[in-house]
């Protein structure tokens, strides 16, 4: 008689605030090897693979694509120790638990994501046709059921299902806006010195974002309350400047790879680290540790042409996020003369529980000073 081993979501592999099942890389009855990837977990920060805990046969899949899961939750089971299946890779049907062909859909059989959506919309699950395994209701089934009741349902349209990452990001944004009162301060910065420095070091291919990170380190060290996390019992001030930089992904969505201990890097090291993190973020090659432990974030939304975005939603467990708009030539009065200067709008959106306006303004003053006096 074969034994079974549970496939669980490991706490050290599940960085993020939400976790959903992505794609199963193996099917029921497939032989698996220890440490071989079994499935993908998609969070609001990164996609990670869950590996097989032992050699054997995939005997049960308990969580389907799109289901929400918690750290430590059982995702499926592997059958091990059979006379042939676990050793030769040959599937033994007798090792698998019997699955009813078309089980009735009850509340106990609804995934957490489906149950939450049904409760929010006040729906009767018995009236929803399930397309999942054995007639199970999926999130897509609920959304398709809701569509005919929309006032715009008669209009020509097509429905593009949300990806698990898009849903995770949406949930994260709503939670952050609900928990933290967002307030945004706006300054303007002259980047003439940066432009001159970049031109003098053109061979190094240093992006504006690298300079923005260096200025952020200087401002965080001058106003340490910005590099913090709110708790009901006090404000947690961080010694390290672990700066997340928002990266737009080719298939949609956003991720925040983190420059750990950015205060220890110089400009060139910062530029190289950013280049590496950005490239691997866009190719889906980041490791979980590379999106962990951020204490402050930057959204350089100007790279896509935006002049101003406010408020920018603060990442959970942080107190502020910096936003930098497009650099463009604008008129500026200096020494009584009007000159065309490369200017950009810069914002700091703060958690007003943790910070007040004067601290936001002081941070931005130090940040602008670091940029405008760059040498």
């Amino acid at each position: 008689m074969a034994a079974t081993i549970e496939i669980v979501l490991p706490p050290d592999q599940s960085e993020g605030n939400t976790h959903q099942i992505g794609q199963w890389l193996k099917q029921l009855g497939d032989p698996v090897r220890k440490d071989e990837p079994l499935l993908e977990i998609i969070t609001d920060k990164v996609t990670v693979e869950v590996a097989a805990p032992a050699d054997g046969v995939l005997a049960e899949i308990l969580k389907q694509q799109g289901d929400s899961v918690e750290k430590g939750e059982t995702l499926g089971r592997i059958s091990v120790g059979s006379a042939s299946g676990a050793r030769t890779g040959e599937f033994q049907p007798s090792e698998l638990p019997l699955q009813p062909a078309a089980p009735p859909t009850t509340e106990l059989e609804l995934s957490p994501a489906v149950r939450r959506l049904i409760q929010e919309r006040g729906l009767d699950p018995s009236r929803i046709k399930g397309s999942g395994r054995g007639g199970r209701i999926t999130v897509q089934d609920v959304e398709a059921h809701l569509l005919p009741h929309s006032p715009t349902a008669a209009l020509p349209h097509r429905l593009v299902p949300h990806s698990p990452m898009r849903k995770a990001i949406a949930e994260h944004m709503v939670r952050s806006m609900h928990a933290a009162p967002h307030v945004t301060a706006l300054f303007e910065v002259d980047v003439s010195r940066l432009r001159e420095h970049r031109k003098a070091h053109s061979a190094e291919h240093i992006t504006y974002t690298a300079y923005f990170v260096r200025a952020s380190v200087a401002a965080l060290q001058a106003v340490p309350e910005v590099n913090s996390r709110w708790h009901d019992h006090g404000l947690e001030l961080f010694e390290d400047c672990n700066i997340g930089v928002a990266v737009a992904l080719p298939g949609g969505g956003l991720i925040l790879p983190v420059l750990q201990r950015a205060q220890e890097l110089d400009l060139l090291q910062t530029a190289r680290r950013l280049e590496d993190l950005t490239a691997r973020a866009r190719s889906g090659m980041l490791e979980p540790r590379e999106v962990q432990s951020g204490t402050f974030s930057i959204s350089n939304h100007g790279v896509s042409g935006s002049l101003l975005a406010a408020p920018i939603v603060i990442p959970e467990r942080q107190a502020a996020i910096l936003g930098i708009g497009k650099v463009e030539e604008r008129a500026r009065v200096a020494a009584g003369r009007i000159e065309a200067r490369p200017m950009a709008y810069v914002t700091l959106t703060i958690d007003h529980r943790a910070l007040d306006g004067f601290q936001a303004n002081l941070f931005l003053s130090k940040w602008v000073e670091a940029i405008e006096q760059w040498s």
Side-chain angles (χ1 to χ4, degrees):
M1 181 92 181
T4 58
I5 293 181
E6 293 186 342
I7 306 162
V8 300
L9 177 58
D12 61 347
Q13 277 192 294
S14 53
E15 172 64 18
N17 302 298
T18 60
H19 312 84
Q20 289 184 320
I21 300 294
Q23 178 183 6
W24 276 90
L25 307 176
K26 294 287 185 178
Q27 301 300 316
L28 281 175
D30 284 353
V32 299
R33 295 292 183 184
K34 183 177 180 181
D35 298 327
E36 182 181 16
L38 287 180
L39 74 154
E40 295 177 342
I41 297 293
I42 300 175
T43 80
D44 55 326
K45 293 186 176 183
V46 70
T47 298
V48 297
E49 293 178 341
V50 174
D55 292 349
V57 173
L58 183 56
E60 283 188 88
I61 293 178
L62 301 178
K63 296 293 181 179
Q64 303 294 331
Q65 184 171 1
D67 286 354
S68 296
V69 294
E70 301 292 335
K71 297 178 181 181
E73 191 169 358
T74 301
L75 311 178
R77 293 186 176 89
I78 292 175
S79 177
V80 299
S82 66
S84 57
R87 293 189 174 91
T88 69
E90 297 176 1
F91 171 51
Q92 303 295 317
S94 62
E95 296 175 5
L96 295 181
L98 295 177
Q99 300 287 341
T105 301
T106 67
E107 184 177 358
L108 293 177
E109 294 168 328
L110 300 176
S111 72
V114 170
R115 186 180 300 113
R116 181 171 60 251
L117 186 56
I118 286 176
Q119 291 174 346
E120 289 174 352
R121 300 303 180 95
L123 301 176
D124 179 359
S126 66
R127 300 174 64 88
I128 302 174
K129 184 178 180 180
S131 63
R133 187 184 301 274
R136 186 175 184 175
I137 297 174
T138 67
V139 171
Q140 289 75 20
D141 294 331
V142 179
E143 292 172 343
H145 176 81
L146 288 169
L147 196 58
H149 304 287
S150 167
T152 61
L155 300 177
H157 65 273
R158 63 189 181 95
L159 180 64
V160 180
H162 298 306
S163 68
M165 175 172 278
R166 184 76 263 158
K167 292 179 181 179
I169 291 173
E171 293 176 2
H172 164 72
M173 297 294 105
V174 170
R175 283 198 307 271
S176 179
M177 290 295 290
H178 176 75
H182 284 50
V183 174
T184 300
L186 169 67
F187 276 46
E188 195 173 26
V189 62
D190 182 343
V191 300
S192 297
R193 291 284 190 93
L194 299 194
R195 187 168 64 177
E196 294 170 1
H197 191 273
R198 290 185 72 212
K199 184 176 180 180
H201 298 81
S202 58
E204 304 294 348
H205 303 289
I206 303 172
T207 63
Y208 277 122
T209 305
Y211 294 94
F212 298 157
V213 170
R214 302 315 315 150
S216 297
V217 169
L220 289 172
Q221 291 177 331
V223 191
E225 295 85 359
V226 178
N227 196 41
S228 69
R229 178 182 301 167
W230 168 267
H231 297 281
D232 289 341
H233 60 277
L235 193 63
E236 182 181 6
L237 302 180
F238 297 105
E239 297 293 329
D240 291 330
C241 299
N242 295 338
I243 299 179
V245 179
V247 175
L249 302 179
L254 205 67
I255 196 166
L256 275 171
V258 177
L259 282 84
Q260 307 283 351
R261 301 177 67 86
Q263 76 276 7
E264 298 179 355
L265 306 176
D266 60 23
L267 177 63
L268 190 56
Q269 291 170 330
T270 299
R272 296 295 170 262
R273 187 77 62 83
L274 277 173
E275 181 180 25
D276 172 63
L277 287 172
T278 299
R280 288 190 293 108
R282 289 175 176 157
S283 62
M285 300 299 291
L286 287 178
E287 298 179 15
R289 62 180 176 81
E290 293 174 315
V291 293
Q292 295 174 350
S293 306
T295 63
F296 180 77
S297 294
I298 297 174
S299 175
N300 188 9
H301 55 84
V303 297
S304 57
S306 171
L307 292 177
L308 179 65
I312 304 171
V313 180
I314 305 166
E316 288 184 283
R317 302 192 296 274
Q318 296 181 23
I321 183 170
L322 187 73
I324 303 125
K326 177 183 178 182
V327 176
E328 65 172 6
E329 295 283 333
R330 287 201 289 269
R332 187 181 194 189
V333 177
R337 295 186 304 174
I338 299 177
E339 299 176 342
R341 312 284 284 185
M343 306 294 295
Y345 294 115
V346 56
T347 60
L348 187 72
T349 298
I350 61 171
D351 179 349
H352 211 342
R353 299 173 303 173
L355 302 169
D356 292 319
F358 83 91
Q359 291 162 315
N361 292 339
L362 179 58
F363 175 93
L364 286 174
S365 296
K366 296 293 184 181
W367 192 91
V368 169
E369 179 182 320
I371 295 295
E372 294 189 344
Q373 296 184 9
W374 190 275
S375 60

